[in-house]
Amino acid sequence: MDTPRTRTKPPPGSGERPSSALPGLPEVLVGLAVLILFTVAVPRLVLPHLVSDLQGVGVAASLLSGIAGAAAFAAAASIRLRAWAPFGVRAVRPRWLLIGVAGGVVGMLAKILIVPLTTSLFGLETSTQDSYVAGSSGSLGALVLTAIGLVILTPIGEELFFRGVVTSWLMRFAPIVATLGSAVVFALAHGINFVLPAALVVGVITAELRRRSGSVWPGVVVHAVNNSVTVISYAAAPQLMG
């Protein structure tokens, strides 16, 4: 007589986790609430009292975007699952980080090709990044702070939340749900503007790397490579236009 086989754990190195060990909807909801607090309430209620010029707003916004993601992740991780491993905060083999570099390049190429096309077709808002441009193209100090915010803090913070919490939660359903679902959430979190198509592409790449590697760090590399090129282009924009 055949004996039923019970799969107690996924194969080593698959990046898959038993659904009972993954974050759930409570973590996602708490994290989203904190993320909205930092990305909507704080910029509107707090930042205007701290900075008034566009350059200062850009620097503050770049730093705040990283802080927001980290705060959302910390809130999500604190309510039930105390260990960080279920969120994908785990060591990964160097080859995955190299794949992350390649993913960042692919994301940038997709941005260069897709964003102008979708902007012209749908008339998406293009002024949403003006403060980042001002922060990147201002003084050296402003450029350094903006780079720290967008190239270091934002990739870490956003990957911890969107891939560590949202993608990890959706992994209990199906691979395509985890990848596409979390990518859509990530893109919408950046607003309905010209950034959305690029954010969707980056979201798909980073979510798939999270799912396959079992770690958020390859996605952090993708995000950092993508944002570093963006900061460089913002810094060069006024000189090119002048």
Side-chain angles (χ1 to χ4, degrees):
M1 182 175 66
D2 293 335
T3 304
R5 291 179 295 175
T6 301
R7 185 180 174 189
T8 58
K9 61 181 180 179
S14 67
E16 184 183 350
R17 296 288 173 266
S19 60
S20 61
L22 296 171
L25 185 58
E27 285 86 352
V28 174
L29 294 178
V30 169
L32 283 174
V34 173
L35 189 73
I36 291 171
L37 173 66
F38 275 88
T39 57
V40 178
V42 172
R44 293 182 179 180
L45 302 178
V46 178
L47 284 189
H49 300 287
L50 299 177
V51 290
S52 57
D53 62 297
L54 190 60
Q55 181 184 110
V57 171
V59 172
S62 65
L63 295 172
L64 187 61
S65 65
I67 295 171
F73 169 75
S78 68
I79 66 168
R80 189 173 57 160
L81 299 177
R82 303 298 179 180
W84 285 10
F87 297 95
V89 184
R90 57 175 70 242
V92 69
R93 293 180 178 177
R95 72 183 182 91
W96 283 110
L97 302 181
L98 294 176
I99 293 173
V101 173
V105 173
V106 170
M108 275 309 307
L109 292 176
K111 181 177 182 179
I112 293 171
L113 295 173
I114 296 173
V115 168
L117 177 61
T118 55
T119 299
S120 62
L121 286 176
F122 302 107
L124 298 175
E125 177 66 40
T126 60
S127 62
T128 56
Q129 303 289 293
D130 287 352
S131 61
Y132 290 141
V133 174
S136 301
S137 59
S139 64
L140 178 60
L143 173 59
V144 170
L145 289 175
T146 300
I148 290 174
L150 294 182
V151 181
I152 299 175
L153 298 182
T154 296
I156 293 174
E158 290 191 349
E159 291 305 310
L160 283 174
F161 177 67
F162 287 105
R163 257 55 68 178
V165 179
V166 179
T167 303
S168 297
W169 167 54
L170 293 174
M171 281 167 57
R172 66 180 63 234
F173 301 110
I176 192 170
V177 173
T179 298
L180 296 184
S182 62
V184 169
V185 173
F186 175 69
L188 291 176
H190 287 75
I192 308 298
N193 53 62
F194 81 109
V195 175
L196 190 147
L200 184 62
V201 172
V202 171
V204 169
I205 294 172
T206 52
E208 188 65 7
L209 287 178
R210 158 68 183 104
R211 189 182 70 81
R212 290 181 177 274
S213 71
S215 173
V216 299
W217 299 121
V220 170
V221 174
V222 172
H223 212 140
V225 170
N226 193 278
N227 283 11
S228 63
V229 177
T230 299
V231 170
I232 292 171
S233 65
Y234 286 169
Q239 286 76 16
L240 294 176
M241 294 177 63

